[in-house]
Amino acid sequence: MELLALLGQGFDAALTPLNLVYCFAGVTLGTLIGVLPGIGPVATIAMLLPVTYGLAPLSALTMLAGIYYGAQYGGSTSAILVNLPGEASSVVTCLDGYAMARQGKAGSALGIAALGSFFAGSVATLIIAVLAAPLAALALKFGPAEYFSLMLLGLVAAVVLASGSLIKATAMTIFGLLLGLVGTDVNSGVERFSFGIPELSDGFGFVVISMGLFGIAEIIHNLEKAQNRNIFSTAISRIWPSLDDFKASWKPVLRGSFLGSLLGVLPGGGALLSSFAAYTLEKKLSKDPDRFGKGAIEGVAAPESANNAGAQTSFIPLLTLGIPSNAVMALMVGAMMIHGIVPGPQVMQEQPVLFWGLIASMWIGNAMLVILNLPLVGIWVRLLKIPYRLLYPAILLFCCIGVYSVNQSTVEVAFAVAFGILGYIFIKLECEPTPLLLGFVLGPLMEENLRRAMLLARGDPTVFITRPLSLALLLAALALLVVLILPNARRTREEAFQEG
Amino acid sequence: MPIRFLNYRDLIAGSFFSFLGLLTAIGALRLRMGTAMRMGPGYFPFVLGGALIALGLLIAFSSLRIPKKEKADQVEPMSLRPIVLVSIGILVFANIVQIAGLALATIALVTISGVAYRGFRWMELGALGVGLSIFAVGIFSFGLNLPIQVLPA
């Protein structure tokens, strides 16, 4: 089977000593920042992007990807032990995980989380391998109209799946689109909205916006409130779950893996949505839903599997269609472009070693994580005890160096500060920054495709509806919107976000 | 029935977006619009600007509601100290790193931004500054070979 041959090639590339080192570095770093609240994969990947300039493309992507799914593992550790989700996707794990810890079953919870995540990661890797070729083949039929509609679907989904007000999320998306348009218009060579500032002639740097909005803003926000953390001090006796735990968890792990894999592919999806959905599903399917929130192991097994599966399958739209499905993928687009790789369906044909190597590295990374997490929990716990006042200057330092090192430009650092303040204001106004980042990445691309589509259609806007694929995508976007506006769905959505 | 601003957050957010949309639309008008078939540089921004104005107004109006509660939702108060100190710290870093080098700039950044934390201690900040400075130089200059000066020129 050609699939096996390709996978074999991928494993060959991923198993070189150098790539193994980068994979290890990525997943370890990912676990670390996943454990620590206040810093997440988005900020970290943004910080490390400039650093990956000098690396080979596969090594760079392996490491960055490892940070993302590694963070899902780490987030569960702090959720279970400290009731503080290291990552947004671990919020649900806090509910039953911390309850289990209080009952002295922290070890079981941690063990199931790690093992479930590994299983889910393996399933997800398999799904990616199987789906990649058909999806890429489908994408080759895409013209500019279809690309535009797909991006529109992506943005709609990001808005729908963002927490908080829909209208505000849409406004943030449009703001992001506009920010992406700043700079020189490729078609006409005219400079737009650059106000004569030379650093803006190419538009805002991606690193500048992502560091400012996510890194700096978060720190400013955290400095307002005091940080109180009560670490669970009882010794963790056994990390390996009991047989009963396995029996209770295997179905939730299965369900979580598949649900997570499915939801991760959706634009706007990924780890966060998957974990919430899996928890809700388990609760609905359970014979005794009252156990949830009080230490039901299903409440740990399912979301932890789902968030890992979702994190990995969220690579699918990026690797096959070239469309980022969430903020982290948007950063990966940046990483690929830094290395001269234009994301899109052609990546599979033109760079098969890179493509399959990355997929192989994800499975390898998952294996490393299981081995890392189970014995090393003690170290992570000690890290949680680092006071925030020592941590945040370090994070700020990395942000600064990160932004400065891109172009040695003081002006860009000033922009990052401005976006940091803006991001802080947005947090106060309860406006989600993720749709903005997605809009920023997709803005120029959408305009390009819109222009081309209209040119080919000689100015006829109905082209988006007359071409069947484009119509299908637009209908999907509409369906998402409608489903959301229905009061039923709105209530469930609010519930899901309130449980966190 | 009296209309009170129930949700200041949304009012401010809406006004911000509308204002931004207005500025964008005005800016876009100065660029060539072109036709639907051959879009000029101003077309897409103008459309987006218009959409933003509309959305902003929607958000602002949604903040007006016939009050059921006694108090209006206020915006959480902003504390200036973190914003100012973090911003100054970063800007100082960016400005002196070329002249004074990474080591000193790091100490400056850590010191200035460290003061933003309520209950900081000078000795601790000093130690942290020196420690991070060594760490940063070690990893970024020697380990990763970033082209940033280490010591004053």
Side-chain angles (χ1 to χ4, degrees):
Chain A
M1 257 211 325
E2 203 191 306
L3 186 62
L4 282 176
L6 288 167
L7 263 177
Q9 257 191 318
F11 271 100
D12 264 340
L15 283 171
T16 63
L18 190 66
N19 284 334
L20 281 176
V21 166
Y22 281 115
C23 187
F24 184 74
V27 298
T28 311
L29 186 60
T31 311
L32 178 65
I33 55 130
V35 166
L36 295 171
I39 179 164
V42 178
T44 312
I45 297 179
M47 273 193 257
L48 286 177
L49 264 185
V51 164
T52 62
Y53 275 133
L55 302 178
L58 181 57
S59 310
L61 290 178
T62 301
M63 186 173 82
L64 295 175
I67 295 179
Y68 182 39
Y69 55 86
Q72 310 310 319
Y73 275 82
S76 55
T77 307
S78 58
I80 293 171
L81 292 176
V82 195
N83 201 26
L84 247 183
E87 285 315 305
S89 55
S90 309
V91 162
V92 203
T93 314
C94 284
L95 297 172
D96 283 274
Y98 190 62
M100 282 180 75
R102 288 220 302 272
Q103 294 162 16
K105 293 196 262 175
S108 298
L110 288 167
I112 280 289
L115 291 169
S117 295
F118 177 65
F119 181 80
S122 309
V123 167
T125 307
L126 211 63
I127 292 185
I128 298 178
V130 165
L131 276 188
L135 267 180
L138 178 67
L140 284 172
K141 296 199 195 139
F142 274 32
E146 282 78 16
Y147 270 111
F148 181 80
S149 302
L150 179 65
M151 290 183 211
L152 195 62
L153 172 64
L155 289 180
V156 167
V159 163
V160 158
L161 298 166
S163 60
S165 155
L166 278 179
I167 317 181
K168 281 201 269 193
T170 313
M172 288 297 269
T173 310
I174 299 187
F175 185 23
L177 288 170
L178 285 170
L179 283 173
L181 296 179
V182 168
T184 310
D185 174 25
V186 183
N187 259 32
S188 58
V190 171
E191 276 202 21
R192 290 189 288 196
F193 302 111
S194 59
F195 303 112
I197 304 176
E199 283 82 358
L200 281 185
S201 62
D202 261 334
F204 286 111
F206 183 79
V207 176
V208 168
I209 294 195
S210 55
M211 296 271 214
L213 271 187
F214 289 94
I216 300 179
E218 190 65 37
I219 290 182
I220 299 180
H221 183 64
N222 281 333
L223 281 174
E224 276 189 322
K225 21 181 187 138
Q227 295 266 316
N228 276 325
R229 278 183 247 153
N230 294 321
I231 309 245
F232 217 70
S233 41
T234 49
I236 299 167
S237 46
R238 44 183 314 181
I239 297 289
W240 200 256
S242 69
L243 192 59
D244 281 332
D245 291 332
F246 274 118
K247 271 198 262 182
S249 315
W250 72 275
K251 277 197 224 150
V253 166
L254 263 176
R255 286 193 282 257
S257 302
F258 282 106
L259 184 61
S261 300
L262 183 64
L263 291 177
V265 182
L266 286 181
L272 177 59
L273 179 68
S274 308
S275 63
F276 275 109
Y279 187 83
T280 317
L281 181 68
E282 282 311 308
K283 200 166 170 184
K284 290 223 160 87
L285 287 177
S286 166
K287 290 176 206 133
D288 188 8
D290 285 330
R291 281 187 308 122
F292 280 78
K294 302 190 192 125
I297 198 164
E298 297 92 325
V300 172
E304 281 304 315
S305 310
N307 73 15
N308 204 46
Q312 289 191 216
T313 53
S314 61
F315 277 89
I316 291 184
L318 175 68
L319 292 174
T320 56
L321 302 168
I323 309 283
S325 57
N326 57 38
V328 173
M329 294 305 130
L331 285 168
M332 300 297 262
V333 168
M336 288 174 88
M337 304 219 279
I338 287 178
H339 287 96
I341 304 168
V342 179
Q346 74 283 358
V347 173
M348 258 188 80
Q349 325 284 58
E350 292 170 17
Q351 304 248 11
V353 178
L354 176 73
F355 183 85
W356 294 102
L358 185 61
I359 294 179
S361 80
M362 289 203 238
W363 189 86
I364 297 175
N366 270 290
M368 285 186 190
L369 280 166
V370 170
I371 302 173
L372 254 189
N373 274 279
L374 294 182
L376 293 187
V377 163
I379 303 188
W380 303 132
V381 173
R382 227 162 287 151
L383 276 167
L384 278 172
K385 296 189 182 153
I386 298 182
Y388 193 65
R389 68 176 185 277
L390 297 179
L391 202 57
Y392 80 86
I395 302 176
L396 272 181
L397 178 67
F398 296 148
C399 282
C400 285
I401 296 184
V403 175
Y404 186 75
S405 65
V406 176
N407 277 324
Q408 270 80 53
S409 162
T410 315
V411 176
E412 290 198 343
V413 179
F415 282 145
V417 171
F419 277 111
I421 299 178
L422 187 65
Y424 172 70
I425 296 177
F426 279 141
I427 296 178
K428 289 294 188 188
L429 292 178
E430 294 193 345
C431 295
E432 280 279 310
T434 306
L436 191 150
L437 195 67
L438 270 173
F440 175 71
V441 172
L442 291 179
L445 289 171
M446 282 186 84
E447 189 190 26
E448 184 64 35
N449 281 299
L450 181 64
R451 273 188 165 137
R452 257 192 247 156
M454 291 299 262
L455 188 64
L456 286 174
R458 302 184 188 286
D460 177 17
T462 64
V463 67
F464 296 104
I465 327 181
T466 49
R467 290 174 66 107
L469 271 175
S470 173
L471 178 64
L473 291 166
L474 287 177
L475 283 177
L478 199 63
L480 266 178
L481 274 175
V482 164
V483 157
L484 206 75
I485 299 194
L486 288 181
N488 236 357
R490 186 185 272 156
R491 230 186 309 123
T492 315
R493 187 169 162 274
E494 274 168 22
E495 257 175 41
F497 283 110
Q498 254 164 29
E499 294 214 328
Chain B
M1 257 180 286
I3 298 180
R4 278 210 303 245
F5 291 136
L6 194 59
N7 204 335
Y8 281 109
R9 269 194 301 259
D10 286 355
L11 184 64
I12 297 177
S15 316
F16 171 74
F17 285 126
S18 288
F19 185 58
L20 195 66
L22 191 64
L23 288 179
T24 308
I26 296 178
L29 279 172
R30 296 213 204 132
L31 300 166
R32 187 174 52 87
M33 280 290 158
T35 59
M37 182 167 129
R38 292 182 178 282
M39 287 186 211
Y43 198 96
F44 202 45
F46 185 74
V47 170
L48 290 178
L52 208 52
I53 297 176
L55 281 174
L57 289 173
L58 246 165
I59 297 173
F61 276 121
S62 79
S63 74
L64 303 171
R65 231 172 284 168
I66 299 159
K68 285 186 198 154
K69 308 192 256 184
E70 284 302 312
K71 277 194 306 166
D73 277 343
Q74 301 282 358
V75 180
E76 257 179 54
M78 295 201 233
S79 37
L80 276 183
R81 187 165 140 179
I83 305 181
V84 169
L85 285 169
V86 168
S87 307
I88 295 182
I90 301 179
L91 289 171
V92 164
F93 178 92
N95 277 294
I96 71 174
V97 74
Q98 267 168 334
I99 318 168
L102 181 60
L104 290 178
T106 305
I107 296 181
L109 171 66
V110 172
T111 314
I112 299 177
S113 62
V115 173
Y117 188 83
R118 256 172 262 190
F120 71 94
R121 300 197 281 264
W122 284 112
M123 290 297 282
E124 212 176 53
L125 263 187
L128 185 65
V130 173
L132 274 180
S133 180
I134 300 176
F135 182 73
V137 168
I139 295 206
F140 291 106
S141 299
F142 292 111
L144 296 169
N145 281 318
L146 284 183
I148 306 185
Q149 240 182 304
V150 177
L151 293 171

